[in-house]
Amino acid sequence: LESRSVAFRCDPATLARLEWQRLLDCLAAQAATARGAEALRAVAFPPTHGSVIERLSETSEARELVDRGREPGFGGVADLRADVAEIARGRTLGAGELAKFLATLEASRRVGESLEQSSAIAPRLAALSETLPDLRALEQALARVVTPAGEIREDASPELRRLRRRVRDLEGEVERQLARH
């Protein structure tokens, strides 16, 4: 189909009869992430003919991936905007919050890799995955210090390892002292 940048002609009354906002809300309810749902609810109208054709092509590719059992999993993706805003204000994140970043980075990488591997089936979606930044270094750095469960790793640093060993030694000493009395 020819891609034109002509806007569809549709007045507000027609949109109301088509229940445009309800359609967007239904689509948003099916989104894999909160941010995706937000984007769907905020879709502007009227779209251009070309943008509609492009979205339909992407949707067809996604459907083909689902039909073949090759859809990327979005599990682990979290909306990090509030956390990023907190960081920008100078706040330090705790281990649980860092684990959420780690899970999102891992999920993002997996989605990108999955779409790259499916480029023959879904070239448009694979091209979109190429816009994902390469954050493997950050992912690896986080994985060295925090567990997926949101705990600081025992071996996150030599000093932490030494301190935790000292705590265990002291706990053992306390238990021995209590056992004697």
Side-chain angles (χ1 to χ4, degrees), residues 5 8 16 19 24 29 49 52 77 80 86 93 105-106 110 123 130 132 135 140 160 162 170 180:
S5 60
F8 289 112
E19 299 185 54
L24 293 178
H49 180 75
V52 169
V77 174
L80 302 174
E86 290 293 316
L93 300 181
L105 290 171
E106 290 171 340
R110 282 192 315 270
E130 291 173 9
L132 294 172
L135 299 173
Q140 291 165 355
L160 179 61
R162 185 187 68 72
L170 289 172
R180 279 189 228 152

Side-chain angles (χ1 to χ4, degrees), residues 77-148:
V77 174
D79 187 347
L80 302 174
R81 289 176 291 181
D83 294 312
V84 170
E86 290 293 316
I87 292 169
R89 285 193 282 277
R91 183 172 165 265
T92 303
L93 300 181
E97 294 158 317
L98 292 174
K100 187 168 62 167
F101 268 82
L102 176 59
T104 300
L105 290 171
E106 290 171 340
S108 176
R109 178 183 41 76
R110 282 192 315 270
V111 167
E113 289 170 353
S114 174
L115 290 172
E116 285 173 23
Q117 293 168 0
S118 298
S119 62
I121 301 167
R124 286 174 179 83
L125 296 178
L128 283 175
S129 75
E130 291 173 9
T131 66
L132 294 172
D134 183 355
L135 299 173
R136 283 179 290 199
L138 177 58
E139 179 186 340
Q140 291 165 355
L142 284 172
R144 283 192 297 272
V145 297
V146 69
T147 68

